Amino acid sequence: MKKAELFALKQDRDALLLALQRVGEFMIIPTEEDAQPTGQEDAQQALQQAENTLGFVSQFQEKRSFFAQRPELDLQSFLKEDPEALELEQEAKKIAEQLAAVRSERSTLAAQMEQLTPWLPLDIPLDRLTPTRYASFHTGSISAGAVDPVKQAVEEQGADLTLLAPGPEGLAALLTCLREEEHAVLEAAKAAGFVENTPPRVKGLAKDAYEAYQQQYREAQKLEEQLVAQAEELAGRKEKLELLYEQRKAQADRQAVSAWETAATFRLVGWVRSDRTEAVKKAVAEVTDACALSFTDPTEEDTPPTVTKNNWFVSQFETITDMFSRPTTREGIDPNPVMAPWYWLIFGLMMGDAGYGLVMAIAIFAFKKIKKPKGEFAKLINVLWYSSITTMFCGVLFGSYFGETWHPLLFSPLDAPVPMLIFSIIIGTLHIFSGMILKVVHDIKAGHFWDAMFDQVSWMVLITGLGLLFLPATAAVGKWMAIIGALVILCTAGRGNKGFGKVTGGFLGLYNITGYMSDILSYSRILALSLATGVIGMVMNLLAGMVQGSVIGFVFSLLIYLVGHVFNIAMGLLSAYVHDSRLQYIEFFSKCYEGGGYAFQPLSIDPKYIDVVTHRQSK
């Protein structure tokens, strides 16, 4: 990484930021002296409006075909403002507001009609239910179980109870009684289960008000249908709104850049890859020559972002490491060149079926061609695609073809689980040793030769010796290797401590053998996953074979084959991805790698809905 510093005139700021965004190689570092960017709030509001418009229109878009391609634009077309898109945005905003209002109106009308429903049988205007000279009226509701007790109580008091229609609160009812008996009647009715409440405040009969509301509801529904049709028509031109969103997103990213300023100049500080400085110089020179651009090496106080540079194969597996933590320049270790082949191999061992590997290869290749994934997701897809090769290879070794065993070149895990367990442990030991060797190389390059010997090589000697003890031909050699390794650890593990701590440190260091044994035994999951894949595939084949006694049974068996093996492949992919990653993160990285870096995220055009061709150099 190089630390870049750019001084330029404020009048060239927008053009320079656009040029830097276009080249996509300048990661801006905010500083305490930076002034708050002007126009940021307006740009964010415009972006939010475009996002809201897209969200609204997307509700009415037909489901996009799986085979649909992302539109592709050159940079000039991307930067050009489209007046039609602005008109569409305003039209969509207007429709959204009208649609929200009409839906709110419909909801209100529906609630009003629901409130009126229990009072529809009443042939007295609701606004006329007021006391007269001799009579009183009380409206309320009665639960289903209290109807008879309330009727009996009212009749005993010489009053009248008119039952209407059921509603949310119970059966609506009208209680009529003489005014001088009002208190006694009401008390008796309430004691029996009558709950007094007020009907909706409308003029005239309830059914007349209900019909008026119903007419308004139908009109609102018709208007809503018209607005939905207009929104669906807008959804057919959604691509223009997506482009508008991307343009505003790029503009908002530029407006969010803070810089140190004077009355006429500004300064930007950032990180640039050391092999991309010329591209940045060229982008700045195309805008103005009234500027000063310099590049310096990071100081000890700086913490630059990390960019790893590997070949086409290893670079795809960087996404696995990045999910754990990016490398740092201070640590000086990029585990990807060593980790990638191991991840590739272990994934294949866990799947271990040639038929499944072939299906993976074809399906993932088709997905890549149709969907053209980008960025980190594309790397992950490539990891799975590459792993289909090792899955086929290991399937041939184990003789596994869609759950059936046929002429294994090595052995079948289903028939020989113990040899497979031993094989898994050997693979695990070699995997852990490769991490320790990586640490040895790093320590030696850093000038810590004895640390490498005492902390890494001694453990490799001890573990190798313990393994050789199980073979009669090498037991004697293994014994001496184990003893030498243990003595070296015992004498050197506490070398950094003082006094008696040197002795206890040695014993505590030797106690770590339990951790190493636990790590090695973790690789038994290779056996477990290969057995699970094989057993499930075999069971599906048995189930399909059991129903193949007729034509209908044969057709049904094909369905069992299809569903069963697709399910097994999906579960196998998920399990292999998760457990393979775990082995890298816990067993492998713990021996050689800490990480702690952060990503290099330059100011760039990073569209979500379209592909912009910027003619940037290949990375």
Side-chain angles (χ1 to χ4, degrees), residues 122-137:
L122 188 64
D123 56 1
I124 303 174
L126 293 179
D127 57 334
R128 300 290 299 276
L129 294 176
T130 56
T132 66
R133 183 176 180 180
Y134 300 104
S136 291
F137 303 96

Side-chain angles (χ1 to χ4, degrees), residues 128-172:
R128 300 290 299 276
L129 294 176
T130 56
T132 66
R133 183 176 180 180
Y134 300 104
S136 291
F137 303 96
H138 293 275
T139 56
S141 59
I142 308 171
S143 62
V147 173
D148 291 337
V150 172
K151 285 180 65 177
Q152 183 177 354
V154 170
E155 289 174 357
E156 289 175 354
Q157 294 294 328
D160 179 70
L161 182 68
T162 304
L163 300 177
L164 302 173
E169 298 176 353
L171 185 65

Side-chain angles (χ1 to χ4, degrees), residues 212-232:
Y213 287 151
Q214 197 172 45
Q215 179 61 30
Q216 295 176 41
Y217 185 89
R218 284 194 291 264
E219 291 174 357
Q221 189 175 35
K222 184 177 180 180
L223 177 58
E224 181 180 358
E225 291 172 355
Q226 293 173 354
L227 292 171
V228 168
Q230 294 176 25
E232 290 174 346

Side-chain angles (χ1 to χ4, degrees), residues 134-428:
Y134 300 104
S136 291
F137 303 96
H138 293 275
T139 56
S141 59
I142 308 171
S143 62
V147 173
D148 291 337
V150 172
K151 285 180 65 177
Q152 183 177 354
V154 170
E155 289 174 357
E156 289 175 354
Q157 294 294 328
D160 179 70
L161 182 68
T162 304
L163 300 177
L164 302 173
E169 298 176 353
L171 185 65
L174 173 64
L175 177 62
T176 306
C177 63
L178 296 174
R179 293 194 66 173
E180 62 265 20
E181 300 175 358
E182 179 180 6
H183 181 72
V185 172
L186 198 56
E187 287 294 324
K190 288 182 177 180
F194 179 79
V195 179
E196 191 172 14
N197 53 47
T198 305
R201 297 181 179 276
V202 296
K203 291 185 178 181
L205 296 174
K207 62 181 180 180
D208 294 336
Y210 185 91
E211 290 175 359
Y213 287 151
Q214 197 172 45
Q215 179 61 30
Q216 295 176 41
Y217 185 89
R218 284 194 291 264
E219 291 174 357
Q221 189 175 35
K222 184 177 180 180
L223 177 58
E224 181 180 358
E225 291 172 355
Q226 293 173 354
L227 292 171
V228 168
Q230 294 176 25
E232 290 174 346
E233 190 275 331
L234 285 182
R237 294 180 285 171
K238 183 184 174 187
E239 291 77 9
K240 291 185 177 294
L241 294 173
E242 290 175 339
L243 175 58
L244 180 63
Y245 169 84
E246 300 294 3
Q247 291 171 333
R248 290 183 177 173
K249 175 68 167 58
Q251 183 180 12
D253 290 343
R254 295 194 300 272
Q255 293 293 342
V257 172
S258 59
W260 177 84
E261 297 180 352
T262 66
T265 64
F266 75 99
R267 180 195 68 172
L268 287 178
V269 180
W271 295 110
V272 177
R273 282 176 53 166
S274 57
D275 58 344
R276 295 287 190 262
T277 55
E278 291 302 320
V280 174
K281 289 179 181 179
K282 182 179 178 181
V284 171
E286 289 175 353
V287 176
T288 180
D289 56 0
C291 64
L293 176 63
S294 61
F295 298 95
T296 58
D297 292 326
T299 64
E300 291 185 359
E301 290 77 20
D302 290 326
T303 305
T306 305
V307 175
T308 51
K309 195 172 183 180
N310 292 299
N311 61 39
W312 62 271
F313 175 80
V314 174
S315 63
Q316 306 308 305
F317 290 84
E318 291 172 357
T319 187
I320 303 298
T321 299
D322 291 347
M323 290 180 191
F324 177 81
S325 182
R326 282 182 177 264
T328 64
T329 54
R330 298 185 185 279
E331 186 178 10
I333 293 179
D334 179 10
N336 291 297
V338 178
M339 183 276 294
W342 279 113
Y343 192 98
W344 189 46
L345 173 62
I346 292 174
F347 195 104
L349 290 172
M350 288 178 171
M351 287 292 290
D353 188 284
Y356 290 172
L358 180 61
V359 172
M360 285 170 55
I362 296 173
I364 297 174
F365 178 78
F367 180 83
K368 281 165 54 66
K369 289 298 181 182
I370 294 170
K371 301 303 291 183
K372 293 182 174 59
K374 306 290 182 181
E376 293 300 311
F377 181 60
K379 288 185 176 181
L380 179 59
I381 292 298
N382 283 332
V383 167
L384 299 179
W385 189 40
Y386 296 162
S387 297
S388 67
I389 299 173
T390 50
T391 298
M392 286 188 282
F393 173 75
C394 294
V396 173
L397 284 182
F398 300 147
S400 181
Y401 302 86
F402 292 105
E404 295 292 338
T405 301
W406 183 73
H407 295 300
L409 298 182
L410 193 60
F411 51 74
S412 170
L414 292 175
D415 299 328
V418 174
M420 183 61 188
L421 176 62
I422 296 173
F423 180 75
S424 300
I425 290 175
I426 293 173
I427 290 292

Side-chain angles (χ1 to χ4, degrees), residues 543-558:
L543 289 175
M546 292 171 63
V547 300
Q548 289 181 345
S550 63
V551 174
I552 296 177
F554 180 78
V555 173
F556 189 61
S557 71
L558 295 179

